[in-house]
Amino acid sequence: MLKSLIAVFLAAILTENYVLSKFLGICPFLGVSKKINTAVGMSLAVTFVMLLATAVTFPLFVFVLEPNDLAYLETVVFILIIAALVQFVEMVLKKYIPSLYKALGIYLPLITTNCAVLGVTMLVLEKHAADASYTFLHAMVNALGTGIGYLVAMVLFAGVRERLEDADIPKSLRGLPITLIAAAIVALSFLGFGGIVDGLL
Amino acid sequence: MNPILLAVLLVSGIGLVLGVFLVISNRVFAVKENETAKKIQEALPGANCGACGFSGCSGYAAALAEDKTVATTLCTVGGNDVAARIAEILGVEAGSVASVKARVMCQGHKTARSYTADYTGLSSCRAAAALYNGGSACAYGCLGYGDCVAACEKEAISVCQGVAVVSPALCVGCGKCAAVCPKGIIQMVTEKQVAVVPCANKDKGAATKKACAVGCLGCKVCLKACPEEAIRMEEGLAVVDAEKCVGCGKCVAACKFGVIKMV
């Protein structure tokens, strides 16, 4: 049990990194990764939403939607729940960390449409359907691991981008083009983790 | 039960539960916002340039709402309109804003200026200033590597023939370019129609002449030509007093080297 939980956690961070190997949640990955501290704040907000969303959607799907043959509603219902949770996170941040609230700006409400969050809640259901031993606990650990994987990707990339600021970049590549190229190279380097989790355990 | 009805009921039920949850948390996590500050912020242009000396439009609005002694006329971007609106919101007398524009006090473009060396280092004025002024013979003039261009958020500055030029139509007078210029040759001047001596070279006439064809030599011909006595000498450089200048243009005609310009 513990071994499988650790495997899920490590896989979510390294081999199945949502940003760098599944390419989900690219918008805030490119938008908020200019500075390391906003990148960390954004990742923590995303992690929090992922955890809450999984905690609500997984039981809802297993105990309400599936028994009533309403599995086809998952996208609609999940988005509804994620949107409400993001609103909630927004209120909390506005009250307790206004500086982070300002720094995140439009990207905070955009977590609603962050496909990484929807991806986390939906892909665990596939795994649950394929293998009954994949329980609610696994889903929660997966959500936490994905959030931390998001943090790792954001912080790594923020470091790369801070270096890019000082580089003499050809005029035609300045701005988004060089950012996308850098993101591709960072993603490529994450390929190196392939199979490492199975090998470890 | 009808599957369609069930689906509709389920989704609306979830919506209702989440709605109630959000209403409650909105009450619990409510943030008190200063109504006056909010109104003032709406009246401000939202350029967040910092010309007022505060951290941005919201910072200025908060300061105005809290402290009555903060002047209502600090926003150079919005000008008199915005000052009047702020005064109306606060219920105080409206003042007038002295609208200013940045001006580069150098016109020594590449063909007019002489060089002592070729500079091939970092493309930055600060770096060039530290290394023999980027090979420029004039130790005071514009280096032309565009630190001010990078600082300008309104894209109002361009470098033309090695000299930065401010477009008055785009300049909002925030003064960020003046702060980054290592030579300190960008001045914030009033928009009034006046004569200007766009030169910063404080050397003696002969040395200035060697370094640049359009430098002010300090010959004082303009001093004598001015009927208003608006021109004075400061460290070998003619300086026009914008308050006294009436814009007659007699100094422009008198200057044999075409240094003085009307703006």
Side-chain angles (χ1 to χ4, degrees), chain A residues 64-65 77 84 91 94-96, chain B residues 10 14 22 26 29-30 33:
Chain A
V64 180
L65 294 183
V77 170
M91 285 173 204
K94 201 174 177 184
K95 169 108 177 167
Y96 295 110
Chain B
L10 190 82
I14 292 172
L22 281 183
N26 197 15
F29 299 108
E33 273 178 21

Side-chain angles (χ1 to χ4, degrees), chain A residues 60 64-65 68 70 72-73 76-77 80-81 83-85 87-88 91-92 94-96 102, chain B residues 3-4 6-8 10-11 14-15 18 21-23 25-31 33 58:
Chain A
L60 190 78
V64 180
L65 294 183
N68 292 313
L70 292 173
Y72 64 91
L73 277 178
V76 180
V77 170
L80 193 65
I81 289 168
L85 288 174
Q87 287 286 314
F88 176 70
M91 285 173 204
V92 173
K94 201 174 177 184
K95 169 108 177 167
Y96 295 110
K102 269 185 201 153
Chain B
I4 296 176
L6 184 65
V8 171
L10 190 82
V11 174
I14 292 172
L18 292 172
F21 165 70
L22 281 183
V23 167
S25 44
N26 197 15
R27 288 280 156 83
V28 174
F29 299 108
V31 181
E33 273 178 21
S58 60

